[in-house]
Amino acid sequence: MELEKLRELQRPLKTRYQADKEASLVSFHTSGTLGEDISCRIDTGIAQVTAGLHPAAGGDGTLACSGDMLMEALVACAGVTLNAVATNMGIQLQYTKIFAEGDMDFRGTLGVDKNVPVGITKIRLRFDIQDDIPEEKKLRLIELTERYCVIYQTLVHPPQIETSGIS
């Protein structure tokens, strides 16, 4: 996308949000329905995804894993953000690949060792920017991507989570 097109799209939004901060508040929604064989069908708004147990927790590997989905969300958000940042900086990226890896010890979630944390304990996000631009611009792109990437910032600064029961 060209810089002027991006600015044209975002200008009225920025103006509106400066005048009315309530207009900038958005709630993201999704839902899931329990399925067979310890699965959950998630409606993404575009398609349905069926998530299940990771093979390290007893799954057969045929269903999506929520840990992988978290890494996918991080890569997707970082990719979109990097693209927007590059556009704003007047940089046309031709080939960039983003990788995310998350480490998890399944002894925690399986209750094998109560001293082992449940969940992903370390995430590595890597940018492979192969475009011929100066190293300092690549570093600035990554720095700004970290700053403005919603999923990255959500992981770095976890939100308050409320759980409710029977409705």
Side-chain angles (χ1 to χ4, degrees):
M1 179 179 288
E2 296 294 323
L3 174 58
E4 200 45 51
K5 175 71 173 172
L6 179 60
R7 286 186 176 162
E8 181 182 316
L9 290 170
Q10 291 183 341
R11 187 176 297 116
L13 296 171
K14 289 180 177 185
T15 300
R16 180 175 172 212
Y17 299 158
Q18 286 173 341
D20 178 11
K21 76 174 190 174
E22 295 296 318
S24 69
L25 301 176
V26 174
S27 292
F28 296 95
H29 304 273
T30 193
S31 64
T33 305
L34 297 187
E36 297 178 11
D37 299 325
I38 309 180
S39 68
C40 182
R41 288 184 310 278
I42 299 107
D43 184 359
T44 68
I46 297 173
Q48 270 197 348
V49 174
T50 303
L53 292 171
H54 186 278
D60 64 9
T62 61
L63 300 177
C65 165
S66 53
D68 289 332
M69 293 167 71
L70 179 63
M71 296 302 103
E72 292 161 0
L74 177 58
V75 167
C77 189
V80 170
T81 304
L82 180 71
N83 244 328
V85 167
T87 299
N88 274 300
M89 290 176 66
I91 298 171
Q92 293 247 335
L93 296 174
Q94 300 302 312
Y95 182 82
T96 296
K97 195 159 186 176
I98 303 164
F99 302 86
E101 297 174 318
D103 297 335
M104 180 173 154
D105 185 334
F106 276 81
R107 293 177 300 160
T109 194
L110 291 176
V112 172
D113 185 338
K114 297 202 183 304
N115 294 316
V116 173
V118 174
I120 296 169
T121 56
K122 184 174 185 180
I123 296 174
R124 290 171 301 285
L125 181 62
R126 182 169 59 89
F127 296 86
D128 182 10
I129 303 172
Q130 294 189 5
D131 293 283
D132 188 26
I133 58 175
E135 193 68 24
E136 62 272 2
K137 283 199 178 202
K138 289 180 184 180
L139 293 173
R140 184 69 176 151
L141 282 168
I142 293 169
E143 176 187 321
L144 291 172
T145 297
E146 289 174 345
R147 179 176 177 186
Y148 294 113
C149 176
V150 172
I151 302 300
Y152 181 92
Q153 287 298 321
T154 300
L155 291 169
V156 170
H157 306 285
Q160 177 182 347
I161 299 178
E162 299 174 6
T163 303
S164 61
I166 302 168
S167 57

mmCIF file of all heavy atoms in Angstrom, residues 112-132:
data_model
loop_
_atom_site.group_PDB
_atom_site.id
_atom_site.type_symbol
_atom_site.label_atom_id
_atom_site.label_comp_id
_atom_site.label_asym_id
_atom_site.label_seq_id
_atom_site.Cartn_x
_atom_site.Cartn_y
_atom_site.Cartn_z
ATOM 1 N N VAL A 112 1.873 -33.243 35.952
ATOM 2 C CA VAL A 112 2.944 -34.175 36.302
ATOM 3 C C VAL A 112 3.827 -33.595 37.401
ATOM 4 O O VAL A 112 4.277 -34.302 38.297
ATOM 5 C CB VAL A 112 3.788 -34.522 35.046
ATOM 6 C CG1 VAL A 112 5.030 -35.325 35.397
ATOM 7 C CG2 VAL A 112 2.931 -35.249 34.026
ATOM 8 N N ASP A 113 4.080 -32.287 37.314
ATOM 9 C CA ASP A 113 4.923 -31.614 38.296
ATOM 10 C C ASP A 113 4.284 -30.266 38.612
ATOM 11 O O ASP A 113 4.250 -29.372 37.772
ATOM 12 C CB ASP A 113 6.334 -31.430 37.739
ATOM 13 C CG ASP A 113 7.319 -30.841 38.728
ATOM 14 O OD1 ASP A 113 6.881 -30.191 39.709
ATOM 15 O OD2 ASP A 113 8.532 -31.001 38.507
ATOM 16 N N LYS A 114 3.775 -30.126 39.816
ATOM 17 C CA LYS A 114 3.062 -28.899 40.199
ATOM 18 C C LYS A 114 3.983 -27.687 40.306
ATOM 19 O O LYS A 114 3.517 -26.556 40.395
ATOM 20 C CB LYS A 114 2.310 -29.120 41.498
ATOM 21 C CG LYS A 114 1.240 -30.186 41.350
ATOM 22 C CD LYS A 114 0.171 -30.066 42.381
ATOM 23 C CE LYS A 114 -0.846 -31.163 42.290
ATOM 24 N NZ LYS A 114 -1.514 -31.326 41.032
ATOM 25 N N ASN A 115 5.292 -27.895 40.264
ATOM 26 C CA ASN A 115 6.251 -26.792 40.307
ATOM 27 C C ASN A 115 6.574 -26.249 38.917
ATOM 28 O O ASN A 115 7.266 -25.238 38.793
ATOM 29 C CB ASN A 115 7.545 -27.223 41.011
ATOM 30 C CG ASN A 115 7.299 -27.528 42.472
ATOM 31 O OD1 ASN A 115 6.607 -26.787 43.145
ATOM 32 N ND2 ASN A 115 7.853 -28.626 42.932
ATOM 33 N N VAL A 116 6.097 -26.915 37.881
ATOM 34 C CA VAL A 116 6.338 -26.483 36.509
ATOM 35 C C VAL A 116 5.196 -25.564 36.089
ATOM 36 O O VAL A 116 4.023 -25.919 36.238
ATOM 37 C CB VAL A 116 6.440 -27.693 35.550
ATOM 38 C CG1 VAL A 116 6.516 -27.239 34.100
ATOM 39 C CG2 VAL A 116 7.638 -28.558 35.907
ATOM 40 N N PRO A 117 5.503 -24.375 35.592
ATOM 41 C CA PRO A 117 4.435 -23.458 35.177
ATOM 42 C C PRO A 117 3.579 -24.041 34.051
ATOM 43 O O PRO A 117 4.073 -24.775 33.204
ATOM 44 C CB PRO A 117 5.170 -22.218 34.677
ATOM 45 C CG PRO A 117 6.600 -22.394 35.018
ATOM 46 C CD PRO A 117 6.831 -23.829 35.354
ATOM 47 N N VAL A 118 2.305 -23.689 34.067
ATOM 48 C CA VAL A 118 1.401 -24.061 32.988
ATOM 49 C C VAL A 118 1.466 -22.937 31.958
ATOM 50 O O VAL A 118 1.277 -21.771 32.295
ATOM 51 C CB VAL A 118 -0.046 -24.230 33.505
ATOM 52 C CG1 VAL A 118 -1.008 -24.468 32.343
ATOM 53 C CG2 VAL A 118 -0.116 -25.367 34.514
ATOM 54 N N GLY A 119 1.740 -23.282 30.735
ATOM 55 C CA GLY A 119 1.738 -22.280 29.665
ATOM 56 C C GLY A 119 3.091 -22.078 29.030
ATOM 57 O O GLY A 119 4.088 -22.699 29.401
ATOM 58 N N ILE A 120 3.089 -21.212 28.058
ATOM 59 C CA ILE A 120 4.299 -20.865 27.316
ATOM 60 C C ILE A 120 5.129 -19.934 28.187
ATOM 61 O O ILE A 120 4.630 -18.917 28.665
ATOM 62 C CB ILE A 120 3.936 -20.219 25.968
ATOM 63 C CG1 ILE A 120 3.198 -21.243 25.095
ATOM 64 C CG2 ILE A 120 5.172 -19.687 25.260
ATOM 65 C CD1 ILE A 120 2.567 -20.677 23.859
ATOM 66 N N THR A 121 6.379 -20.291 28.397
ATOM 67 C CA THR A 121 7.225 -19.527 29.318
ATOM 68 C C THR A 121 8.269 -18.670 28.614
ATOM 69 O O THR A 121 8.857 -17.784 29.237
ATOM 70 C CB THR A 121 7.945 -20.475 30.294
ATOM 71 O OG1 THR A 121 8.686 -21.441 29.538
ATOM 72 C CG2 THR A 121 6.943 -21.186 31.205
ATOM 73 N N LYS A 122 8.497 -18.922 27.341
ATOM 74 C CA LYS A 122 9.460 -18.109 26.600
ATOM 75 C C LYS A 122 9.023 -18.056 25.138
ATOM 76 O O LYS A 122 8.690 -19.075 24.542
ATOM 77 C CB LYS A 122 10.870 -18.710 26.702
ATOM 78 C CG LYS A 122 11.924 -17.859 26.031
ATOM 79 C CD LYS A 122 13.321 -18.406 26.280
ATOM 80 C CE LYS A 122 14.351 -17.459 25.695
ATOM 81 N NZ LYS A 122 15.700 -17.963 25.926
ATOM 82 N N ILE A 123 9.044 -16.846 24.587
ATOM 83 C CA ILE A 123 8.690 -16.643 23.178
ATOM 84 C C ILE A 123 9.843 -15.933 22.489
ATOM 85 O O ILE A 123 10.391 -14.971 23.021
ATOM 86 C CB ILE A 123 7.396 -15.810 23.035
ATOM 87 C CG1 ILE A 123 6.204 -16.576 23.629
ATOM 88 C CG2 ILE A 123 7.131 -15.456 21.564
ATOM 89 C CD1 ILE A 123 4.913 -15.774 23.662
ATOM 90 N N ARG A 124 10.195 -16.427 21.322
ATOM 91 C CA ARG A 124 11.209 -15.792 20.485
ATOM 92 C C ARG A 124 10.536 -15.320 19.195
ATOM 93 O O ARG A 124 9.911 -16.104 18.500
ATOM 94 C CB ARG A 124 12.342 -16.780 20.169
ATOM 95 C CG ARG A 124 13.200 -17.120 21.379
ATOM 96 C CD ARG A 124 14.177 -18.249 21.099
ATOM 97 N NE ARG A 124 13.540 -19.487 20.681
ATOM 98 C CZ ARG A 124 12.883 -20.321 21.500
ATOM 99 N NH1 ARG A 124 12.758 -20.039 22.776
ATOM 100 N NH2 ARG A 124 12.347 -21.427 21.036
ATOM 101 N N LEU A 125 10.661 -14.032 18.921
ATOM 102 C CA LEU A 125 10.112 -13.430 17.705
ATOM 103 C C LEU A 125 11.296 -12.977 16.871
ATOM 104 O O LEU A 125 12.159 -12.253 17.355
ATOM 105 C CB LEU A 125 9.209 -12.244 18.060
ATOM 106 C CG LEU A 125 8.529 -11.504 16.917
ATOM 107 C CD1 LEU A 125 7.576 -12.430 16.160
ATOM 108 C CD2 LEU A 125 7.777 -10.294 17.460
ATOM 109 N N ARG A 126 11.342 -13.437 15.627
ATOM 110 C CA ARG A 126 12.490 -13.128 14.779
ATOM 111 C C ARG A 126 12.009 -12.586 13.433
ATOM 112 O O ARG A 126 11.082 -13.113 12.832
ATOM 113 C CB ARG A 126 13.336 -14.378 14.555
ATOM 114 C CG ARG A 126 14.584 -14.132 13.727
ATOM 115 C CD ARG A 126 15.530 -15.333 13.739
ATOM 116 N NE ARG A 126 14.932 -16.553 13.234
ATOM 117 C CZ ARG A 126 14.935 -16.931 11.955
ATOM 118 N NH1 ARG A 126 15.499 -16.172 11.028
ATOM 119 N NH2 ARG A 126 14.384 -18.066 11.592
ATOM 120 N N PHE A 127 12.667 -11.519 12.989
ATOM 121 C CA PHE A 127 12.366 -10.886 11.707
ATOM 122 C C PHE A 127 13.515 -11.167 10.746
ATOM 123 O O PHE A 127 14.669 -10.900 11.078
ATOM 124 C CB PHE A 127 12.215 -9.370 11.878
ATOM 125 C CG PHE A 127 11.069 -8.975 12.751
ATOM 126 C CD1 PHE A 127 11.219 -8.902 14.133
ATOM 127 C CD2 PHE A 127 9.838 -8.678 12.206
ATOM 128 C CE1 PHE A 127 10.168 -8.539 14.953
ATOM 129 C CE2 PHE A 127 8.768 -8.314 13.024
ATOM 130 C CZ PHE A 127 8.939 -8.250 14.392
ATOM 131 N N ASP A 128 13.196 -11.688 9.591
ATOM 132 C CA ASP A 128 14.186 -11.915 8.543
ATOM 133 C C ASP A 128 13.884 -10.927 7.420
ATOM 134 O O ASP A 128 13.129 -11.219 6.495
ATOM 135 C CB ASP A 128 14.120 -13.357 8.048
ATOM 136 C CG ASP A 128 15.163 -13.672 6.994
ATOM 137 O OD1 ASP A 128 16.070 -12.842 6.768
ATOM 138 O OD2 ASP A 128 15.067 -14.751 6.379
ATOM 139 N N ILE A 129 14.449 -9.727 7.546
ATOM 140 C CA ILE A 129 14.233 -8.663 6.552
ATOM 141 C C ILE A 129 15.372 -8.744 5.554
ATOM 142 O O ILE A 129 16.508 -8.383 5.854
ATOM 143 C CB ILE A 129 14.187 -7.274 7.230
ATOM 144 C CG1 ILE A 129 13.101 -7.238 8.298
ATOM 145 C CG2 ILE A 129 13.972 -6.173 6.181
ATOM 146 C CD1 ILE A 129 13.092 -5.987 9.152
ATOM 147 N N GLN A 130 15.073 -9.249 4.358
ATOM 148 C CA GLN A 130 16.114 -9.469 3.361
ATOM 149 C C GLN A 130 16.244 -8.323 2.369
ATOM 150 O O GLN A 130 17.014 -8.410 1.431
ATOM 151 C CB GLN A 130 15.856 -10.787 2.622
ATOM 152 C CG GLN A 130 15.984 -11.989 3.529
ATOM 153 C CD GLN A 130 15.951 -13.287 2.780
ATOM 154 O OE1 GLN A 130 15.926 -13.330 1.559
ATOM 155 N NE2 GLN A 130 15.947 -14.371 3.526
ATOM 156 N N ASP A 131 15.485 -7.272 2.593
ATOM 157 C CA ASP A 131 15.553 -6.133 1.688
ATOM 158 C C ASP A 131 16.859 -5.376 1.878
ATOM 159 O O ASP A 131 17.454 -5.384 2.955
ATOM 160 C CB ASP A 131 14.356 -5.211 1.930
ATOM 161 C CG ASP A 131 13.065 -5.891 1.525
ATOM 162 O OD1 ASP A 131 12.793 -5.969 0.325
ATOM 163 O OD2 ASP A 131 12.342 -6.359 2.431
ATOM 164 N N ASP A 132 17.284 -4.719 0.825
ATOM 165 C CA ASP A 132 18.544 -3.976 0.834
ATOM 166 C C ASP A 132 18.314 -2.585 1.415
ATOM 167 O O ASP A 132 18.218 -1.594 0.692
ATOM 168 C CB ASP A 132 19.102 -3.891 -0.598
ATOM 169 C CG ASP A 132 20.503 -3.307 -0.608
ATOM 170 O OD1 ASP A 132 21.202 -3.425 0.419
ATOM 171 O OD2 ASP A 132 20.889 -2.723 -1.642
#
